[in-house]
Amino acid sequence: MSTWNDPPGGFHPISAPDYLPRPQLAGIQLQRLQSVVTRAYERVPLFRSRLEERGLKPASIGSLTEIASLPFTVKTDLRDTYPFGLFASPMEEIVRLHASSGTTGKPIVVAYTQSDLDVWSEVMVRSFVACGLHRGDVIQNAYGYGLFTGGLGAHYGAEALGATVIPISGGNTERQLMVMADFGVTALCCTPSYFLHLLESAKEMKIDFSRLRVGVFGAEPWSDSMRERIQEESGIRAYDIYGLSEIIGPGVGVECRDQRGLHIFEDHFYPEIIDPESGEVLPDGAEGELVLTTLSKQAMPMIRYRTRDVTALVSEPCACGRTLRRIRRIGRRSDDMVIIRGVNVFPSQVETALLRVEGTLPHYQIVLTREKGLDQMEVKVEVTSEVFSDEIRKLESLQHQLEASIENILGLRVKVTLVQPRSLARSEGKAKRVTDLRNV
Ligand code: DLL
């Protein structure tokens, strides 16, 4: 295994906005904010009616701080307007759709014009550059291709950088390791938990991937201690990349060589931190919920989108020279969403799936564990007493129906365990549905 060094590459012209003097950046942000608010007001009925309720017009926004007067957008707005209700471009101008988990049975849908895709590639190039990648790198992209934004987002960014991209997508660990060793892969994109699994399997299979230098890991929370373990065991530098479908996908923010927080591409995404209870904007440095406004999105502008991700804004200058503010690494969310093998899961989705099948009670527990670096999810569900007295064959069939129903909604194969009526703990207040044993 090689030891890591800051790779060559240096300054890339596309990264120029990373180094703008703050006043110049603020000028660009204000102009873009005014134009995106106007676009949303003119083209998105939900946003227009919310502004009107408050007696606001796009012209009311005369300064960046006045963004705080605008209404928030939340995930349920996407559900309530499913599938296309928040689009601000006609279908003829929309060239791509992606989707992500909603809170119940239906996903949320996000849209891109060609100009949105260009912005996305740009921020992904800037992300890769910040991680020390350049032309000549061989990037194995193990984020899932498809409706998930990770695969195609990283793919087009890697191509635009001029690197060699291997579009291997997720899964098939043996093939991943073979490709990594045989194709001289220098950088890997995947979730950090999947990389842990790859590391364990590589050890077992005695596969060496000594040319691997950089990991671009995101789509789920991972701790500093997990990073230390990854870097020590593999000899690579592991960078954290952040993003969400509603805003664009991966490339909203990324770490630089200093690995002290993720720079937000503030010329395209305007960050605020709020108190999740009161909605008040908090000062830089204070921990709260990240709220993002897209400054240049056309197909689906998002104004003050509540990400539910808990972090803080860091405004102190960074040693790397980028003037972009950073966010602290995200350790938790202010709602009950969990991420399993890169798939976002809300307990309410599991509930929807369980209730579609007869014979169960609405009492369930989701137990998350990690085996050989791979996330496992088990759903324990109580059956009715009639079903409980049934013969084993019927119980097995019910178990399979429930597994299929969950897979239908989550796209994830999980284990369902049927348990006796009244055997799961009842809560007196808010039900605690998830027991997360992955990092204990
Ligand atoms: O996970 C986009 C992405 C793909 C990011 C590849 C990075 C790499 P969604 O599926 O919409 O999009 O999930 C977004 O995942 O609100 C966070 O809760 C979580 N998340 C994403 N990146 C990180 C990260 C993609 N670096 C949701 N650290 C977000 C912690 C993350 N959580």
Side-chain angles (χ1 to χ4, degrees), residues 35-66:
S35 106
V36 80
V37 169
T38 307
R39 185 179 181 90
Y41 180 82
E42 287 171 354
R43 296 173 180 229
V44 184
L46 179 77
F47 184 66
R48 186 190 190 101
S49 62
R50 284 191 180 159
L51 273 205
E52 279 170 353
E53 273 164 25
R54 294 166 177 235
L56 289 172
K57 286 259 185 300
S60 329
I61 307 297
S63 69
L64 279 176
T65 48
E66 279 167 78

Side-chain angles (χ1 to χ4, degrees), residues 271-289 304 311-313 325:
E272 298 170 272
I273 298 290
I274 62 161
D275 175 333
E277 303 301 324
S278 67
E280 286 295 303
V281 178
L282 300 176
D284 286 0
E287 186 178 89
E289 180 183 333
R304 304 196 83 206
T311 180
L313 272 168
R325 277 182 296 172

